[in-house]
Every structure is written in structure tokens, then in C-alpha cells.
Amino acid sequence: MTRSISTATTRAALAVALAAFVAPAPVASAAPVRPARPGFAIAAVGFQSSYQFRLRPGEKVRGRLRLISRSRRAQHVVLRAVDVTTAANGGLEYGSKPPRLEGRWIAIRRRVTVPAGRAVEIPFRVHPEAGTRPGDHFGGIVAINARDLRAAARRPSKQGFSLRYLPRLAIAVGVTTPGRATYQLGVETLGIDVSPSSTDVTVLLRNAGNKLLKQTTGELVVSERGRELLRQSVDIGAFVPGTTIRYRLPLQGTPAKARYQVRGRLLPSGAPAVSVGGTVSSATRPPGSCAASPAARPRAPDRRRCSSPRSPARCCSARSS
């Protein structure tokens, strides 16, 4: 999976600003490559910034996506429906793989040509599945310049590597299905990620309700043997229902064996306040090791080791995944 270097985020209930994604791929050059503009823009026809539909499960609706040329040449555009999750610090994050969740509800033409200096409107359909639960659901549409996509897919030379940037324009497709609305933030586990040069205490958060949490604020404190090591204000953007965030609390200094106490209070918009309290232990471990303990029960920590040094976060979240 190619990860985005920058993503579009939002703090509005069902709105997302149009923004360019930048995704890296290796190329045969050691020189930095600046992101190129895609040569076009996108807009949600009939909506201010993103699509917002109210539908019953099984009901269908049609929408239109406008593509506007920003070039003197015809632009060949690839369109894709994608899943939407929550970015590391809140906000909407658009997938780069074929959709498996709400992105599958969106059907849209895959290739479009936009004449130079013109605009075209592309119809698409949204069809939430029968049996869909009440609440807010999110998919998205991304648009990629076909030329940029071909360039990013070229095999790199064996002589060296650098980053190739793939601009993607993205727009959210929000669907609200009727039923009881619940706003709830859950604190699942405390964990710790250790590298040769740093230690991060982590708090695994979940949007346990069925409504988008627009913003979560608060404060978290990390201490060791009664000595305060870190006091950090929390400001998390939009939090998609059913998704998780591993919120990081970076500690200064060289990693060492220690037992850390974490406490604090989180204030999600529209939802009850949540208290955080617990203890997590760290030993001097090889890179990729981690430990985890329940955030809501201050008992002996559940120590875990990762089989791969490249996946400490997945190891630490094993308890709740």
C-alpha cells in the first residue's frame, strides 16, 4: 500500500475541503521531486464542499461530480471509489486500495477526458446495502491524472531511489441512514512503542458510536514514579464511526526500562467526557517491540512483542483489533 504524505482533513460534520493528496513511490533518481499539479479541479454538484445524502438501506441516489480543466491541454482523468477512515490525528483519510467498506456503495465511471479549458459532469450512484446500521457512513471519490498514474507505476532503476509524488484530488461521500444516533468515544488500551532513539506512550481510541465526532479536545499526562514527564493538550479532528486512532504521547530522552502512569480527560463533541487512567511498562527492547495494557483497568500490563520490527503499532493494537 502506498501511503499518503499529506491528506485532506475536515472538522465539519459531513464536509471535507477539496485537497490534493501526495503519495510516494520510488524512482530512479536521488534528486527530490516536487509535487505536480494534476491539471484539473473537482467539485460536488449541488453541494457546498462534499456530498451529504440521507438514505434508507437499499435506497439509491444519483449524484454528479464536476471536473474542471486547469490546463491548455485535454486532461485524461482516472476516477476511483475508495473507503474513508480516520487519519492519525483526526480528519478523513482516503484509501488507496479497492474499497471493502462503504466505498463499495459508490459506482462511477473510471476514465474521463476533460477538454482543455472546459468542465464536464460525471454521474455516479450511491447505494447503501440492505441491513446497513443507522448512523453516519463515509466513502469517497478520488481523481488522478492518468499521466501521473502511469509515471508513478514505472519501475525504478536499480541505481537509486527517491520519492515520486502522485497528486490525488479527493471528495467525501457521506451517507446518513435513519435510526437512533449515538455519540461515544471509547478508550481501549494503553501501549508503548520503543525505537532506538525514542519512546511513545500510545492511547488507542475508538469512535464507538454511529455518528461522526467533529472534534475531541482534552489533556493527557504521563508520569513516572510521581514525576510528571509530559502534559499534552489533545485536539483531534473528525473521527469516523467504527474507526480507531492510536494517539501518541512522545517522551524525551533515551528509552529505558520504566513504568509509566497515564491519566487525563477527553472531551469529544456531542459525546460524554471520557477519563483515561492506567499504567504501561517498558523494558529496553529491540526496535519493533511494544507493550500494551488496558486503559480503563489499572492492572498489570499485558506485554507483547512484535514479530516484525516494521509493525510495532499493529502489535500494540492486537488486543483490540
Side-chain angles (χ1 to χ4, degrees), residues 194-281:
V194 179
S195 74
S197 60
S198 65
T199 300
D200 287 353
V201 173
T202 64
V203 183
L204 183 63
L205 305 174
R206 178 181 294 276
N207 184 341
N210 62 14
K211 300 294 290 183
L212 184 79
L213 297 176
K214 300 178 186 179
Q215 185 180 25
T216 300
T217 59
E219 185 177 70
L220 294 174
V221 178
V222 180
S223 57
E224 192 250 334
R225 295 182 179 179
R227 180 170 63 95
E228 185 175 302
L229 303 179
L230 176 70
R231 180 178 295 267
Q232 182 165 303
S233 296
V234 176
D235 189 359
I236 298 172
F239 202 158
V240 177
T243 64
T244 60
I245 295 175
R246 183 167 295 282
Y247 191 81
R248 293 182 174 274
L249 299 165
L251 303 180
Q252 302 296 321
T254 304
K257 184 176 180 179
R259 187 177 176 88
Y260 301 106
Q261 292 77 44
V262 183
R263 70 181 191 278
R265 187 172 175 84
L266 300 177
L267 306 171
S269 58
V274 177
S275 295
V276 179
T279 301
V280 62
S281 293

Side-chain angles (χ1 to χ4, degrees), residues 81-103:
V82 297
D83 291 329
V84 170
T85 57
T86 304
N89 290 314
L92 305 187
E93 181 170 270
Y94 296 85
S96 58
K97 292 184 177 181
R100 301 178 60 185
L101 304 172
E102 284 87 343

